[in-house]
Amino acid sequence: MGKQTMGFSSQALNCRADQKLYHLQTPQTPIVRTKAYEKYCVDDYPLGTNAIVAVLAYSGYDMEDAMVLNKSSVDRGLCHGHIYQTETIDLTEQSAKSDRAQRLFRRSNLDKSSHQLIDSDGLPYVGQRINPNEPYCTIYNEITSQTTSLKLKGSEPVVVDYVAVDVKNKMHLQKANIRFRKSRNPVIGDKFSSRHGQKGVCSQLWPDIDMPFSGVTGMRPDLIINPHAFPSRMTIAMLLESIAAKGGALHGKFVDATPFSNTMKEGESESSSLVDELGSMLAACGFNYHGVEVLYSGVYGTELTCEIFIGPVYYQRLRHMVSDKFQVRSTGTVDQVTRQPIKGRKRGGGVRFGEMERDSLLAHGAAYLLHDRLHTSSDHHIADVCSECGSVLTSSLIQAPKQAVQEMVGLPPGREPKKVTCLACRSSKGMETVAMPYVFKYLAAELAAMNIKMTLKLSNGAGA
């Protein structure tokens, strides 16, 4: 998970203009580390935080790979982070070679509303907060005397962190880098992981007062992880790290966890295991030999039935955040041809309900739910069908002559009656309205283009 972590990736952040950079605000050095960690000076670029982790099935919100975070720990700065994004604006690229328009960064004097966001040079103020769809830069065209604004895309506000200009052309600036900063503090759905691949998402930010607390020290955990995450994954090293870090924290020193190294001291027998070595560190400070403690329920104040395994583990905040991935839609833009919802998260599209999802619903016997997804909520259309010739394409609307519709007091005016006729039968006798997905009508039109006629057989539904 080290490649996906939100770490302290650069010491020269103020001088950089990376396309996208994830930055952890409050990193710490791990208590348990290897010799290679010190050799390669990883402390110059730390990756995570020492969180007090309790292994406990507490609320039901920590099932599967979910984990409960202490809200007060997060409020104090646990895993707070930022995303830095740089917009590069090059005016020489924007103007085509054919049109020799001279474009400049300049603020519009006509639109006074943008003056609080944009400086006189057409670029934003450093430290300025910009909301979605607000301008962050204005460009003036000398030939047309028009000013165009570049507006912030996305759905979250940003802060202008840094503005750098290319000073080669001192008279007319042609290139600028604007770096935006987004705050990303942990929310429900964000991903975390220990160094042992024990990954999970935050399921609740639990109030500190309701977290379980230790009877000895009164300490509350920063993070609760479910014990069922261990047997199948066999991440035993994480349990060892917890005991080692607990002993290291109590003695105020780092613990060497270099693998395949012989740490046997003089007078020790080969049979003494690592657990015995780490356990004696805890026992020397008056703690339980195996790293467990008696915890009390934060809700009831009663002692929990079992002793709970608790200790510090170095946890990383990963760059997979729910704010970048969530996709939601009720109604919105539809495809021009099929009239079905468009795809793509950026465009406000829907999630594809494919063939296999359809098969699953049919197997569950939920056919009416299928009707809702693929018809009512998708491309619902009411078509006029001729019951004489069965054609869905030959209907035509004839405007009936205006008749004097009797107006009733207090009611809206009555609608004009519409008359639909079939062009093939040249009659309006057998015209019926049928609800269908619009794409079905489109299929009939495509087949007609290939000289294949599709006819529908209508029935009243009683015997069907």
Side-chain angles (χ1 to χ4, degrees):
M1 301 290 155
K3 290 181 181 179
Q4 302 172 44
T5 191
M6 204 172 174
F8 201 97
S9 55
S10 172
Q11 297 284 353
L13 199 66
N14 59 330
C15 306
R16 294 183 66 92
D18 299 66
Q19 194 72 48
K20 196 169 195 181
L21 194 133
Y22 294 87
H23 184 71
L24 191 69
Q25 289 295 112
T26 53
Q28 295 177 353
T29 183
I31 301 167
V32 178
R33 69 259 294 265
T34 60
K35 287 194 176 79
Y37 189 93
E38 288 160 12
K39 182 182 177 184
Y40 295 122
C41 304
V42 186
D43 263 344
D44 293 345
Y45 304 97
L47 298 168
T49 312
N50 293 300
I52 304 296
V53 177
V55 180
L56 163 68
Y58 190 57
S59 59
Y61 281 103
D62 55 359
M63 282 191 294
E64 291 286 332
D65 278 345
M67 53 183 66
V68 176
L69 262 69
N70 186 327
K71 188 173 186 297
S72 295
S73 301
V74 173
D75 291 344
R76 284 192 291 266
L78 178 85
C79 296
H80 278 206
H82 280 126
I83 297 180
Y84 292 91
Q85 260 180 308
T86 307
E87 281 296 321
T88 302
I89 304 149
D90 193 347
L91 300 183
T92 52
E93 285 179 5
Q94 288 187 10
S95 53
K97 287 180 183 175
S98 54
D99 112 30
R100 294 282 174 193
Q102 186 69 43
R103 292 163 190 262
L104 311 167
F105 290 110
R106 190 186 297 171
R107 185 167 71 182
S108 167
N109 291 322
L110 300 172
D111 182 19
K112 301 281 186 197
S113 62
S114 65
H115 285 203
Q116 60 182 10
L117 300 171
I118 295 168
D119 207 346
S120 54
D121 59 359
L123 296 168
Y125 300 102
V126 174
Q128 174 70 47
R129 184 184 172 87
I130 297 176
N131 293 311
N133 289 321
E134 284 186 345
Y136 62 85
C137 168
T138 52
I139 298 162
Y140 176 70
N141 189 323
E142 280 192 323
I143 293 175
T144 59
S145 301
Q146 286 183 323
T147 308
T148 52
S149 297
L150 298 180
K151 294 189 176 173
L152 183 69
K153 293 172 186 159
S155 57
E156 55 188 324
V158 298
V159 173
V160 178
D161 188 66
Y162 179 67
V163 177
V165 292
D166 186 359
V167 291
K168 285 175 190 165
N169 189 345
K170 288 188 178 173
M171 289 295 291
H172 303 300
L173 293 176
Q174 291 290 294
K175 191 174 181 181
N177 280 337
I178 303 170
R179 189 171 69 204
F180 297 123
R181 186 179 73 237
K182 296 180 199 170
S183 286
R184 284 292 178 85
N185 300 337
V187 292
I188 292 170
D190 285 2
K191 195 173 179 184
F192 298 83
S193 173
S194 73
R195 291 180 295 179
H196 309 275
Q198 194 59 264
K199 60 178 188 275
V201 295
C202 168
S203 64
Q204 278 290 322
L205 290 169
W206 208 254
D208 184 58
I209 200 165
D210 291 337
M211 293 290 268
F213 58 92
S214 165
V216 183
T217 59
M219 186 179 279
R220 293 186 173 94
D222 299 316
L223 202 143
I224 295 176
I225 156 169
N226 199 297
H228 298 90
F230 289 96
S232 59
R233 299 225 179 77
M234 297 185 281
T235 46
I236 311 304
M238 182 167 155
L239 302 176
L240 293 175
E241 183 194 344
S242 185
I243 301 174
K246 197 171 184 178
L250 292 167
H251 287 87
K253 60 184 182 184
F254 295 121
V255 181
D256 181 21
T258 310
F260 314 119
S261 62
N262 189 3
T263 56
M264 198 169 64
K265 299 182 184 78
E266 281 184 43
E268 280 187 2
S269 64
E270 281 193 44
S271 61
S272 65
S273 68
L274 178 64
V275 176
D276 295 329
E277 190 185 320
L278 298 173
S280 56
M281 286 172 71
L282 292 177
C285 293
F287 278 79
N288 184 287
Y289 192 82
H290 296 291
V292 293
E293 287 183 36
V294 174
L295 294 192
Y296 291 81
S297 166
V299 180
Y300 301 111
T302 55
E303 187 179 313
L304 295 180
T305 316
C306 305
E307 289 180 310
I308 304 301
F309 188 83
I310 182 170
V313 179
Y314 196 64
Y315 253 80
Q316 300 165 335
R317 167 128 190 246
L318 305 187
R319 58 180 62 188
H320 301 289
M321 285 167 279
V322 72
S323 311
D324 297 321
K325 296 180 180 240
F326 77 97
Q327 187 167 345
V328 57
R329 170 191 170 110
S330 52
T331 53
T333 324
V334 292
D335 185 78
Q336 284 187 328
V337 177
T338 63
R339 296 199 193 170
Q340 292 182 343
I342 56 164
K343 63 178 178 181
R345 183 177 168 272
K346 278 185 181 173
R347 300 157 65 197
V351 179
R352 180 177 161 82
F353 195 91
E355 290 175 58
M356 295 172 87
E357 289 79 10
R358 163 194 165 277
D359 297 343
S360 178
L361 283 193
L362 287 174
H364 279 278
Y368 204 78
L369 178 57
L370 193 69
H371 178 264
D372 176 74
R373 291 293 88 206
L374 298 185
H375 182 212
T376 316
S377 304
S378 179
D379 53 343
H380 182 273
H381 177 66
I382 294 173
D384 296 297
V385 181
C386 176
S387 60
E388 301 289 317
C389 65
S391 173
V392 72
L393 299 173
T394 55
S395 62
S396 176
L397 183 68
I398 293 175
Q399 200 68 45
K402 285 195 176 180
Q403 297 169 350
V405 181
Q406 198 171 1
E407 300 275 334
M408 288 186 73
V409 183
L411 290 175
R415 278 192 301 183
E416 300 277 337
K418 69 168 189 174
K419 194 177 181 187
V420 182
T421 184
C422 173
L423 295 176
C425 304
R426 295 187 182 176
S427 154
S428 57
K429 193 170 67 175
M431 297 307 292
E432 301 286 348
T433 54
V434 179
M436 61 175 70
Y438 180 81
V439 79
F440 179 78
K441 190 175 177 182
Y442 179 72
L443 172 69
E446 292 263 276
L447 291 174
M450 292 188 287
N451 218 19
I452 299 170
K453 185 183 180 186
M454 183 194 285
T455 56
L456 302 186
K457 191 175 176 184
L458 301 185
S459 66
N460 60 7

